[in-house]
Amino acid sequence: MFKDPFFHWYNFQSKTGECVGITESIQYVVDFMNEHGPYDGVLGFSQGTIMARIILKLDEFKSKMPELVHGVPKFGIMFSGIFTERAKYIQEYEKDAFKLMVPYKQPIFWTYGEKDPLKPLCANAIVEEGNYVKVIHKYAHNIPKFAEEELDALCEFINRMYREISDEDMALDFDRYDQSK
């Protein structure tokens, strides 16, 4: 479908469950956020949703983790997020990995495609508790061109987050960015 190279945050070892490079990737993201933050929200795609999930829960882990000097983000947006219980995302304190599958303090927008070849891993990734929105689109493993319903759900979520964070109404409307009009 697409030609290499592809970017990844870690290299999943299917035999051992080890996620080679995830510790360095977490440190990279935290360093970047500390230098350029604060950030209101975090967005992840595919493996990036694991990174986003870890960032959203940094203040809950017992494992030694890098610290976000500006605090954890206030919401998350997850596109085609994957999750498998076999993966050792956090190795120092094994029970911390389970925290990735319990409700988040922050609101989360989850979305994945009906035709995604990783659909079982995406469906397994969603924590259907707490403050969340779930949208299943008709595409595959991508950030889709949302149809009106899905785009409305995303815009409403972002608007709600903006209102909660800033006490203002941003009235986010993606029509103004539509190049076809």
Side-chain angles (χ1 to χ4, degrees):
M1 181 156 77
F2 299 104
K3 293 186 178 191
D4 291 353
F6 297 108
F7 181 79
H8 61 257
W9 291 101
Y10 56 87
N11 188 351
F12 177 66
Q13 306 295 304
S14 58
K15 289 183 181 177
T16 65
E18 186 179 0
C19 297
V20 177
I22 196 165
T23 303
E24 295 82 2
S25 292
I26 294 166
Q27 187 65 59
Y28 174 82
V29 171
V30 169
D31 288 348
F32 187 91
M33 291 178 76
N34 285 341
E35 183 178 341
H36 301 284
Y39 289 92
D40 293 327
V42 62
L43 182 146
F45 169 72
S46 194
Q47 276 192 351
T49 63
I50 295 296
M51 300 300 295
R53 293 164 81 119
I54 291 170
I55 294 299
L56 289 168
K57 292 225 176 228
L58 272 179
D59 61 349
E60 298 178 34
F61 295 127
K62 290 184 180 179
S63 299
K64 183 180 177 192
M65 296 293 240
E67 183 181 340
L68 282 169
V69 296
H70 304 290
V72 294
K74 298 173 184 79
F75 67 90
I77 299 175
M78 312 292 181
F79 289 101
S80 297
I82 57 173
F83 190 86
T84 175
E85 287 87 4
R86 292 185 7 208
K88 297 176 183 170
Y89 301 114
I90 302 167
Q91 294 186 26
E92 183 182 333
Y93 185 71
E94 214 169 288
K95 290 183 181 179
D96 276 346
F98 295 108
K99 292 182 181 171
L100 298 175
M101 287 305 295
V102 298
Y104 287 73
K105 295 184 286 188
Q106 306 91 334
I108 307 289
F109 183 90
W110 306 95
T111 185
Y112 66 91
E114 191 63 46
K115 297 176 186 171
D116 193 327
L118 301 174
K119 182 179 171 183
L121 294 176
C122 293
N124 190 43
I126 297 176
V127 178
E128 295 197 43
E129 294 179 50
N131 186 352
Y132 75 98
V133 174
K134 177 174 84 171
V135 173
I136 302 172
H137 57 78
K138 63 182 179 181
Y139 302 102
H141 193 73
N142 58 12
I143 297 176
K145 294 180 179 178
F146 281 119
E148 191 171 309
E149 257 177 46
E150 293 97 349
L151 185 58
D152 286 348
L154 178 60
C155 288
E156 174 52 36
F157 180 82
I158 294 171
N159 279 327
R160 184 167 54 96
M161 295 304 97
Y162 187 77
R163 283 190 305 271
E164 289 176 12
I165 291 166
S166 70
D167 296 328
E168 296 178 29
D169 190 357
M170 189 165 103
L172 185 62
D173 180 4
F174 284 108
D175 284 341
R176 64 182 164 192
Y177 300 110
D178 188 350
Q179 300 296 318
S180 65
K181 293 184 179 185

